[in-house]
């Protein structure tokens, strides 16, 4: 047997991923685009329901309050996504609720001045107004960093090597939202995981009228089948004598969303009353805004690859962060109970369907806004059991993480320096947040536990985030450890042309603002 040629065993680095059917500016047929948009809406429901389901009961809210928060979150999510795809980065990303805000919000919920309120509904409203005030003030961080181009300046210290742990941990860092939630109801979670992988990967070559139906719509088909299966188990009485935790996770009638939802309800600003402002609450929330900024930066870069676009230039990335800050401001004004970030699961769906079209995401915003106003219909889809979503997350989060690892192709991984930085950043990015989680679970407070509550919230929030820890470690090491002689090993010759808008001719196609707005906001 002849020895293989070098070109047969070496895969040259590629700016854009191969095998995508539709990139950011190419669009499927309108019928297919609408179906794909609805699929993105269904996937976005998971986080939109999970966050309020956890927080609202802690605040003293009832099922009706939870439904209103879910509706409001989806409504604002649709507005923020539309603004981002039109005027922000213009990448096909869904801007959804963020878990990064959980630590400061839980801290606000347990504020003694709020906990002392005896009336449960009044405590819910007072807590909501306090969260709104903190979100409104802290949104200024992203607005200032984005529109002043300060984040663009910061991004000049990023290299492909430094971004690998950040993007990878945007996916890997959410491992606790995957199989641990599937395990709460294995009889529907595991079949969902197997069915989704089978349809999207093993049967992807099945075509109906030249359309790869099973690959393109694996999520919709799998959710429909397993949701019907879960309903059969519920109706047959399979969970009647099971523990309450199992019933909540497995039954299709335990969300209490449909019965509590109004037929028509349009969310509006200040619907919960006038926001209240507390300096301590605002400082703690600012940490979550910074974490959201870092996580979104990694997700934007992953989305650009899965949409077959070039990495967003520095000023485009900064522009997107500015619009995301406006999104958090809208979260505070409407009262969504959490801030905004890029939905990682929806980024993964771009790769699973091989459709990175911006139009598909914009269509999904129509479903978000429409079904958030028609309460009963939206609540029907939102009542899908959490383990079904978690099974899909196992694939989507892994997909995004692997995109982060793909940036290693632009670096020299035969360099001991690069191996050290990559390994240490990935390990600490997973290990430090896990330490903070375990400590909090045992002590009921984070490792930072001083008399200054805002200081505790700030540190605990930052170190709960895997991408944030990875960014701190990787960027510091990458810019201080033999950096002068390592530009080529770090991948900078490939990366530098994407820093500016005019550095690559393809940027104009992907990132130019609509309606000829570049006349007023010329790219740098």
């Amino acid at each position: 047997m002849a020895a293989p040629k070098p070109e047969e065993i070496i895969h040259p680095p590629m700016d854009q991923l191969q095998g995508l059917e539709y990139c950011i500016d190419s669009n499927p047929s309108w019928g297919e685009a609408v179906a794909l948009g609805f699929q993105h809406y269904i996937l976005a429901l998971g986080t939109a329901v999970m966050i309020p389901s956890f927080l609202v009961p802690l605040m003293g809210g009832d099922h009706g309050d939870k439904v209103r928060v879910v509706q409001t979150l989806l409504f604002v999510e649709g507005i923020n996504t539309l603004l981002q795809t039109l005027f922000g980065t213009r990448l096909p990303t869904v801007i959804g609720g963020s878990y990064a805000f959980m630590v400061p919000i839980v801290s606000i919920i347990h504020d003694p001045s709020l906990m002392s309120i005896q009336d449960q509904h009044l405590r819910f409203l007072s807590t909501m107004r306090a969260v709104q005030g903190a979100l409104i003030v802290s949104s200024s961080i992203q607005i200032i960093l984005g529109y002043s181009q300060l984040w663009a300046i910061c991004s000049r210290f990023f290299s492909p090597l430094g971004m690998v742990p950040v993007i990878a941990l945007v996916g890997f860092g959410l491992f606790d939202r995957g199989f641990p939630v599937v395990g709460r109801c294995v009889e529907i979670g595991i079949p969902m995981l197997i069915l989704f992988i089978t349809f999207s990967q093993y049967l992807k070559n099945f075509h109906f009228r030249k359309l790869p139906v099973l690959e393109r719509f694996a999520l919709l088909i799998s959710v429909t089948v397993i949701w019907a299966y879960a309903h059969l188990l519920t109706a047959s009485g399979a969970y009647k004598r099971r523990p309450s935790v199992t019933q909540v996770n497995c039954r299709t009638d335990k969300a209490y969303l449909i019965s509590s939802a109004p037929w028509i309800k349009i969310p509006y600003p200040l619907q919960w009353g006038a926001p209240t402002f507390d300096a301590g609450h605002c400082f703690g929330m600012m940490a979550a805004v910074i974490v959201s900024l870092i996580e979104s930066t990694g997700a934007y870069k992953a989305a650009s690859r899965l949409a077959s676009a070039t990495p967003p230039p520095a000023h485009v990335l900064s522009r997107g962060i500015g619009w995301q800050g406006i999104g958090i401001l809208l979260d505070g004004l409407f009262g969504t109970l959490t801030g905004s970030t890029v939905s990682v699961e929806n980024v993964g769906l771009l790769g699973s369907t091989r459709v990175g079209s911006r139009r598909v995401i914009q269509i999904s915003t129509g479903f978000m806004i429409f079904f958030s106003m028609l309460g009963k219909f939206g609540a029907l889809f939102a009542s899908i059991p959490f383990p079904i979503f978690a099974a899909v997350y196992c694939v989507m989060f892994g997909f995004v993480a692997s995109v982060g690892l793909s940036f290693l192709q632009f670096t020299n991984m035969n360099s001991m320096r690069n191996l050290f930085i990559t390994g240490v950043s990935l390990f600490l990015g997973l290990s430090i947040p896990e330490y903070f989680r375990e400590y909090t679970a045992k002590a009921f407070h984070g490792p930072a536990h001083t008399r200054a509550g805002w200081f505790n919230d700030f540190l605990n929030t930052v170190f709960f985030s895997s991408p944030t820890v990875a960014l701190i470690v990787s960027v510091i090491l990458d810019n201080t450890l033999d950096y002068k002689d390592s530009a080529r090993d770090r991948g900078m010759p490939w990366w530098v042309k994407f820093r500016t808008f005019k550095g690559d001719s393809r940027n104009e196609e992907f990132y130019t603002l609509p309606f000829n707005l570049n006349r007023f906001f010329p790219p740098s």
Side-chain angles (χ1 to χ4, degrees), residues 31 39 132 138 144 158 167 245 288 300 305 385 394 409 426 456:
Q39 192 166 235
Q132 285 182 263
S138 61
I144 293 171
F158 303 160
I167 304 172
V245 174
Y300 284 134
R305 268 187 87 65
C394 291
Q409 68 184 301
L426 285 170
N456 301 336

Side-chain angles (χ1 to χ4, degrees), residues 165-176 344 393 396-402 430 467:
V166 180
I167 304 172
L169 292 185
V170 164
F172 287 146
L174 295 169
F175 65 88
D176 57 329
V344 179
Y393 294 166
M396 299 308 178
F397 293 161
F399 218 128
V400 174
S402 65
L430 288 169

Side-chain angles (χ1 to χ4, degrees), residues 55 73 76 97-98 100-102 104-105 108 127-143 272 275-278 281-289 292 324-341:
L55 293 175
L73 180 54
V76 178
S98 172
F101 293 81
M102 296 289 270
I105 291 174
I108 293 173
T127 306
M128 175 63 81
R129 293 167 188 166
V131 173
Q132 285 182 263
L135 285 171
I136 290 171
V137 172
S138 61
S139 67
S140 61
I141 297 290
Q142 286 194 12
I143 293 174
W272 311 103
T276 58
F277 300 92
D278 180 274
H281 296 165
C282 295
F283 276 116
M285 197 68 78
M286 285 179 183
V289 170
S292 167
Q324 192 169 299
I326 291 178
I328 295 175
L329 176 62
L330 292 176
D331 291 330
L333 290 173
F334 278 83
T336 62
L337 197 53
T338 185
S340 297
T341 192

Side-chain angles (χ1 to χ4, degrees), residues 412-488:
N412 177 16
M413 289 313 291
N414 291 313
S415 163
M416 294 299 292
R417 172 193 181 274
N418 288 4
L419 290 173
F420 174 82
I421 292 173
T422 304
V424 171
S425 301
L426 285 170
F427 184 83
L428 290 181
L430 288 169
S431 189
I432 291 177
E434 183 63 19
Y435 163 72
F436 271 71
R437 278 190 286 266
E438 288 186 4
Y439 191 103
T440 302
K442 293 177 182 177
F444 300 105
H445 60 75
H449 188 56
T450 67
R451 292 184 180 180
W454 64 269
F455 178 77
N456 301 336
D457 292 343
F458 196 95
L459 284 185
N460 291 331
T461 300
V462 167
F463 290 105
F464 255 87
S465 167
S466 291
T468 305
V469 174
L471 181 90
I472 293 171
V473 176
S474 65
V475 171
I476 289 177
L477 290 176
D478 192 35
N479 287 278
T480 58
L481 188 61
D482 299 330
Y483 69 96
K484 290 184 178 180
D485 303 320
S486 305
R488 189 176 182 86

Side-chain angles (χ1 to χ4, degrees), residues 245-256:
V245 174
T246 302
Q247 294 197 35
V248 168
N249 285 284
C250 297
R251 292 179 68 105
T252 57
D253 60 355
K254 282 293 184 180
Y256 301 110

Side-chain angles (χ1 to χ4, degrees), residues 162-221:
M163 282 291 99
V164 166
V166 180
I167 304 172
L169 292 185
V170 164
F172 287 146
L174 295 169
F175 65 88
D176 57 329
R177 310 274 186 260
F179 204 83
V181 180
V182 172
R184 296 176 187 173
C185 189
V186 293
E187 55 265 43
I188 63 174
I190 291 180
M192 178 64 196
L193 178 60
I194 294 173
L195 199 63
F196 180 72
I197 292 175
T198 301
F199 284 161
S200 65
Q201 301 301 317
Y202 289 98
L203 300 178
K204 64 183 178 181
N205 293 322
F206 173 82
H207 286 66
F208 178 75
R209 295 183 178 178
K210 298 183 179 180
L211 179 68
V213 177
L214 294 182
E215 179 190 44
R216 200 64 51 82
F217 304 108
L219 176 64
L220 278 180
I221 298 171

